[in-house]
Each structure stands twice: as structure tokens, then as C-alpha cells.
Amino acid sequence: MKNFYVTTPIYYVNGDPHIGTLYTALAADIIARYKKLNGKKVFFLTGTDEHAEKVEEAAKKSGVKTEKYVDLMSKRFKEAFKSMNVSYDRFIRTTDNDHVKTVLEFYKKVYNKGDIYKGFYEGWYCVSCETFWTEKELKDCKCPDCGKSVKMLKEETYFFKQSKYQKEIIKHIRDNPDFIKPKARKNEILSFLKQPLRDLSITRTTFKFGIPVPGDEKHVLYVWFDALINYLTAAGYPGKKYTNLWPANFQLMGKEIIRFHCITWPAMLLSAGVELPETIFAHGWWTVEGKKMSKSVGNVVHPAEFCRKHKVPVDTMRYFLFRQMPFGSDGDFSEAQFIERVNNELASELGNLVSRSIVLIDKYSNSEVPAGIADVKLKNKYAQMLKNYHSEMNKLDYYNALNTVFKFVHLVNKYISDKEPWKLSDGGELHNVLFTLAQCINAVSCLIYPFMPETSEEIDTQLGKGKGYNKNFDNIKRNVKIKKGKILFPRISR
Ligand code: MSP
């Protein structure tokens, strides 16, 4: 059976990772964990994009050889992912041997198809976005995407005939409603495809750090042509087994790089006779306190460092990034709102529910889940909620999935206040309430696991669940010993 395959863009290594770059990786981590928890075999790919002109420039600036620089920087990405518990299955680097080999084979295939020809490129180039622009596309003589200066390129180049595939791509987008998500991005691409596509320059002669073009080694392959192929390298293309993973189920990325993923990438795949991915999902951009995040403004947020500063677990950041705005929209990162969400939602609602439940079981049932019967109303509510949750998760609607879970958390807190177990005398009803609470916090632990894995594990420990314990409602057995533990979310003082 084909495995579930999710990818992130591979990251340029000319700067340190931050909440923007981590955002795509965390989004992929969430769906990967969710699918694994639900019994799927999953392959989650991420990595670094190293053969770029801007990377070569950054290495020069730092006075280190490019090869050494990319080693150092890609390690920094790995560390940042580890600090945020990003559970990838492979971290690919475009300098990896198997990738270089796959790129060359892919190039050969497209070349033999007659889709690569030699020509001359004259036009503008933005090194920061590694993108070619026409005069008409520039905004006030600057890059229309990042606003930085562009430079004039005049060089011999090889072109990839992406224009040949324009009609087929439009048809594919129209016939496959889930191919580009969200809808606004699909419309953006269809509207762009109303004008004739230009062929893409796919080789460069003015810098060196790249894969040399077979048979014409003064050219190196253009970073995007090289980078996009990483998704196939990791799947094992062109070996027969690549179809165990390919086509990818979800290819995630920020909205600024969808033209490459929704036009160039499909054209490359069509040329090579490879199936197109199922869904390309573009998320929005984070600003910080209302401003574009940038080193020069000094407002770059490094997630693990930020959590350390506030003495809260990294799960708070994982939660915040997906609760603050719908996945797909733009949003603003604000310290005040982060603190508010940690205090009001994580500490007061979720943390409080778990600690109250554990304390109650500890105090009134001798630290053991009593032999009770689960509250029918709450159990039914949970079943309804679960349906919504699964449908939201499968659509990557993380925002509503979290809303759904937190509505349930709120309901269970209300159940405790309504039942007032501390006023119940020993026996039947008290045991039913405590038993219900154990089931509820176990269920919540499963639901939050993709977003907050460490918190989920801590709840499991406090609930006395063993490793590999099946994560389902009604699974906490009677007489299981619970274990009072640490406070899940310390409040942040302002
Ligand atoms: N190397 C290319 C991708 C090649 S994939 C074949 C690239 N790299 S990147 O490092 O510039 O960006 C990687 C991801 O980080 C993108 O999905 C991008 O949208 C995301 N983000 C970087 N800054 C961001 C924000 N401020 N907000 C949200 N995401 C942003 O593009």
C-alpha cells in the first residue's frame, strides 16, 4: 500500500531558521504525527536548499568556504527542528549524493524528451528570491515579491519548455479541485495562467556552486530546477519503488512560492512522465507585531529561544502558531497575544482540566481510576466532536480542529464545576465522574498529540498509561494508577 507522503519546501541556508520557516515544518509535522497516530505509514520530508547564488554570497560574506558554510547552516536547521520536535523521516540536502544523481537523471529524461534547448537570457534577476522577472513585472524597478534590488542578467542559458505544458496544467487544475489549496491560491494560479507562459531559464553561468550541466559544464543548474526534484529523490525516483511514496499527498509551502510549485513543478513532472502530487497547500505569511520579519528591523522570532525566554514548553509555540490564524491565511505574531493564549487557554483551560482531574482522582479514589461508567452525554458529545476533528485534520484545517478540541476541554471543565465531585459522597456517582474525567483527559491527550506531543506524553504519564497504549476514548482501564505530575503550562507574568 502507498504510504502517506508529506513534504515541506527545502530551506535556503543563507540565514537562521525562525517562526516563518519553522511554520511550514511544524504544519507538516502535525499532519505526519496525526496520520501516524491513526495507523498510517508516513514519510515526512524536509531539508535544505543549498545550491543557490544567495547561499554562495552569504558564504563569501562570512569568509567560510561554501561547502563548509552549507554544512554548518544545514546543521542549524536540524537543531532548530529538533528543538521544536519536528519529527521528519528524512532531512534531505541538495548537496546529498543521491540527490545530485537524481537531478542528473531527471535532466537527461527531460532533455531526451526535447524539452530543453539552448538560448540567451536577458532580463532581471532577484537573488533574494532566486527568481527571473521581466521589466513589466518589476515594481518601482524592484523585485515585486520581496522589494529588494534586482540585477540585469545577460547570459547564455538552457531553457526548459514549460510553455508546452500550459494547457495540460490548466486542465489538471480544473479537473482536480484539491490540487491547489486554498481556493484563493488556485484562482491566483489560474489567473496567472491566462497569459502565455514563458519558458524557464534553468542554467546559470555566473556562479559556481551548483550541479554542472552534463556536457556543458560551464553551466550549473538553476536552483529551482535542482531543488524541486528533491521531492522525487527522497521517494527513491527513478527506482521502481518510488511509487510507494509518490505522488505526494501534501506538498506544503508558503504562498510566495506557489508559481514554482503549481506551474514549473507540474510541467517538469509532465515532461518526465511522472504523476502530479495530490495537493499543493499554500499557507500565509507571518508578520511580527505588525511588521515584516527581518534581520534589519531586528524582529526575527526564533521559536525555541522565545519559549525559553518565557519559561514555557515549546508546545505553547506549536499551539499558538496554529491557533492564532487559519492555516492558509496571513497572521501577526504578537507577544501580548502569545501570553494571553498561554495563560487563558493553555494554563486556565487545558492545564487546569488535567490537574483538576488528576488531583480529584488522587484525592477521592486513592490515586486509582475507579470502576465507574462514563457520562453518556459527554461521551456522545465527544463522538460528535471527534467526527469534526478528523474531517478538519484531514483538510489541514488546524485552526478549527483546535477550536473543536478546546470547546470539548471547556465542556469537561464545566462538567467538573456542575458535578462538584468534592461534594459527592463515596461510591457510585463519584466514581462515575472520576472515571469520566480519566477518559476525557485521555481523549484530549490523543487529540492534542499532533500539535503538542510533549504535553500529550506528560498527560499520558500522569494518567499512568504505558508506552504504546492505544490512544482511544474508553481505553483507560479501571484500577490504573495515576501519578500526580508537573504543571503543564506555567502562567507567564506580564
Ligand atoms: N528554497 C526555497 C524552496 C524550495 S522548495 C523546492 C525557499 N526557501 S525559503 O527558506 O525561503 O522558504 C521556506 C519556507 O519558509 C517557505 O514555505 C516560506 O513561505 C516560509 N517562510 C519564510 N518566512 C515566512 C514568514 N514570515 N511567514 C510564513 N512563512 C514564511 O523558498
Side-chain angles (χ1 to χ4, degrees), residues 449-467:
Y449 169 78
F451 299 94
M452 297 184 269
E454 284 182 355
T455 306
S456 169
E457 272 154 34
E458 175 60 25
I459 298 175
D460 289 357
T461 309
Q462 297 194 16
L463 259 182
K465 281 164 73 174
K467 262 213 163 118

Side-chain angles (χ1 to χ4, degrees), residues 8-14 18-25 48-50 52 54 77 128-130 223-224 226-231 252-257 260-261 283-288 292-293 325 331:
T8 74
I10 44 173
Y11 300 90
Y12 289 129
V13 287
N14 60 319
H18 49 68
I19 51 162
T21 38
L22 259 297
Y23 187 51
T24 330
T48 42
D49 190 358
E50 304 179 4
K54 65 174 171 184
F77 272 83
S128 178
C129 299
E130 301 285 4
V223 59
W224 275 97
D226 161 353
L228 287 162
I229 296 169
N230 89 86
Y231 305 129
L252 311 185
M253 69 211 56
K255 63 180 183 179
E256 84 288 6
I257 52 176
F260 288 111
H261 282 87
H283 63 70
W285 264 57
W286 284 99
T287 49
V288 173
K292 194 174 167 188
M293 204 177 1
M325 68 179 183

Side-chain angles (χ1 to χ4, degrees), residues 128-290:
S128 178
C129 299
E130 301 285 4
T131 303
F132 299 96
W133 298 109
T134 60
E135 182 99 32
K136 249 173 65 197
E137 285 170 326
L138 300 182
K139 245 193 219 153
D140 303 326
C141 303
K142 300 264 167 70
C143 170
D145 262 6
C146 70
K148 292 192 183 145
S149 298
V150 286
K151 65 181 186 188
M152 175 49 95
L153 287 188
K154 286 183 185 176
E155 52 180 331
E156 177 190 281
T157 190
Y158 286 87
F159 285 97
F160 165 54
K161 270 192 206 166
Q162 58 178 9
S163 59
K164 182 173 154 189
Y165 298 99
Q166 181 159 6
K167 272 200 189 134
E168 217 173 319
I169 295 171
I170 295 174
K171 183 170 181 324
H172 186 86
I173 298 173
R174 292 225 163 100
D175 291 350
N176 295 276
D178 287 340
F179 182 54
I180 304 174
K181 291 275 183 176
K183 208 165 160 198
R185 299 294 157 218
K186 168 177 151 172
N187 293 339
E188 183 187 322
I189 292 292
L190 282 174
S191 139
F192 180 78
L193 283 169
K194 280 185 185 146
Q195 345 141 38
L197 259 186
R198 278 175 299 130
D199 286 342
L200 180 71
S201 160
I202 55 159
T203 68
R204 303 284 315 278
T205 51
T206 47
F207 84 108
K208 289 274 159 290
F209 192 61
I211 304 177
V213 171
D216 198 349
E217 306 223 329
K218 72 173 186 291
H219 289 261
V220 293
L221 282 169
Y222 167 53
V223 59
W224 275 97
F225 190 83
D226 161 353
L228 287 162
I229 296 169
N230 89 86
Y231 305 129
L232 283 180
T233 305
Y237 177 88
K240 272 198 190 126
K241 279 200 179 152
Y242 87 97
T243 48
N244 284 351
L245 288 179
W246 196 262
N249 299 77
F250 280 114
Q251 300 217 258
L252 311 185
M253 69 211 56
K255 63 180 183 179
E256 84 288 6
I257 52 176
I258 52 169
R259 282 195 200 165
F260 288 111
H261 282 87
C262 300
I263 300 174
T264 301
W265 180 223
M268 287 166 67
L269 293 168
L270 289 170
S271 171
V274 177
E275 253 189 276
L276 304 194
E278 236 167 61
T279 298
I280 292 170
F281 196 109
H283 63 70
W285 264 57
W286 284 99
T287 49
V288 173
E289 313 289 354

Side-chain angles (χ1 to χ4, degrees), residues 15 88 116 141 215 226 248 271 420 426 435 463 474-475 491 493:
Y88 55 79
I116 290 175
C141 303
D226 161 353
S271 171
E420 299 182 309
D426 273 353
F435 179 74
L463 259 182
D474 260 357
N475 251 319
R491 298 180 74 82
S493 47

Side-chain angles (χ1 to χ4, degrees), residues 404-415:
T404 301
V405 176
F406 273 74
K407 266 192 211 148
F408 183 70
V409 168
H410 186 74
L411 216 67
V412 187
N413 268 323
K414 189 168 173 305
Y415 170 79

